[in-house]
Amino acid sequence: MIPVFLALILLLTGCWDMKEAQNINFITALGVDYENGRFVIYAQLLDFSDIAKQEGAVETGHGEVWIGKSEGRTIDEALISLYPASQQRTSWTHVRTIIFSKALLDKHLPEAVNGLIQTRDLRYTPWVFGTDQKLPDILKSISLLNESVLNSALLDPEELFKLYSYVEPLRLIKLMDGVKEPAVTKLLPLVSWTEGVWKGDGEPTPQVKLVGAYAIAQGKNRGLVDSEMLQGARYVKFRRMISFPLPLVLDEGAPVTINIAHRDPDIQIGPGNDPIRVNLNVRAKAYITELAADSGITSARLRAAAAETIEREIRRSFDAAKAKQIDLYNLEEMIYRHDQERWKKLRSQGKPLISIMELDQVHVEVNLIHSSSHKVLKQ
């Protein structure tokens, strides 16, 4: 019986070809640029041996960041060009973020996206960003308090969005809609970097900073969506809004700030063709974060002021985006999804649909779910 078991053991597979983690280059972020007719790849590599020390009770370290650069006529050729000088096996399966330069977004985004998704090891789920800064400067930014770069806003934007819903994080698979779909506009978060906020040991530390978004439609960069234009997009365009402050200006002169915790937009597009009239109904939930003591402000007055402010921001953002021919609220997709015959007829006119769209009625209803520790009169 024993010889039989020994023979079976010899047939079992082993781990003879297993690679230890410290012997693999795990790329965590990519920067994609286009210069002089060639795609340029910047690869961010972290020293995971330092990061692993953070699991202990005492030792911490943000991990040293290495930046590699390669180029090629295609994305695949640029990625492969990184191998000869990589010293050991390189893995793309842990890429968490991809940053596109403005030069690439303006003319070569479809080729870049197609090349990336056809790469066997690269997933469809990395976060994507755009930038008008130098890509190495963005990739070399570090985290606070000796935390891993893996915990930064660049590689984990969801945590910041839960606290401050400035611009909605976007994954590569969703960006593909703005590249391949004929009537979809996607907002690609725009990042820069700054040394003017935090210091470590008295020295400035470079940090990634969200500064707006690029509107991506039909595979092209349609232009910059700045902070002012994002004000209205949060209430209409975003799929979700978790937390964002809304300062209110009241006749009473008392400083008031509420925090928008949720909103539910309802968009109705009229039957006309020129102009196309759009009606919006937005319901929002908020809570008070700042209110002067004994202000005497009523709950009804706060709700009315908040509704007026939100309506004003929605209209202002729409007009600013329309002037740049940006479909900020993704209205064309609604016509495309629900009435393709009408969409085809409108597109046959040869001009952007947003140019013949107008905001008609905008109704906003704000519900104050609680006032924290502030006293508000109920009338």
Side-chain angles (χ1 to χ4, degrees), residues 254 291-297 374-377:
L291 178 63
D294 302 324
S295 62
I297 298 175
H374 303 287
K375 295 182 179 180
V376 180
L377 299 179

Side-chain angles (χ1 to χ4, degrees), residues 124 170-179 184 186 239:
Y124 283 22
L170 186 67
R171 292 190 184 272
L172 177 61
I173 191 170
K174 294 298 183 181
L175 176 64
M176 290 167 59
D177 291 343
V179 174
V184 175
K186 287 295 182 180
R239 292 183 299 110

Side-chain angles (χ1 to χ4, degrees), residues 25-31 39-45 66-72 74-92 95:
N25 293 331
F26 289 104
I27 306 299
T28 52
L30 289 177
F39 290 96
V40 181
I41 296 290
Y42 295 92
Q44 182 194 73
L45 176 65
W66 299 74
I67 307 295
K69 179 183 178 181
S70 61
E71 60 181 65
T74 65
I75 289 291
D76 190 57
E77 183 179 307
L79 293 172
I80 293 175
S81 297
L82 197 67
Y83 293 157
S86 295
Q87 313 306 318
Q88 54 191 8
R89 179 179 173 182
T90 299
S91 172
W92 307 97
V95 172

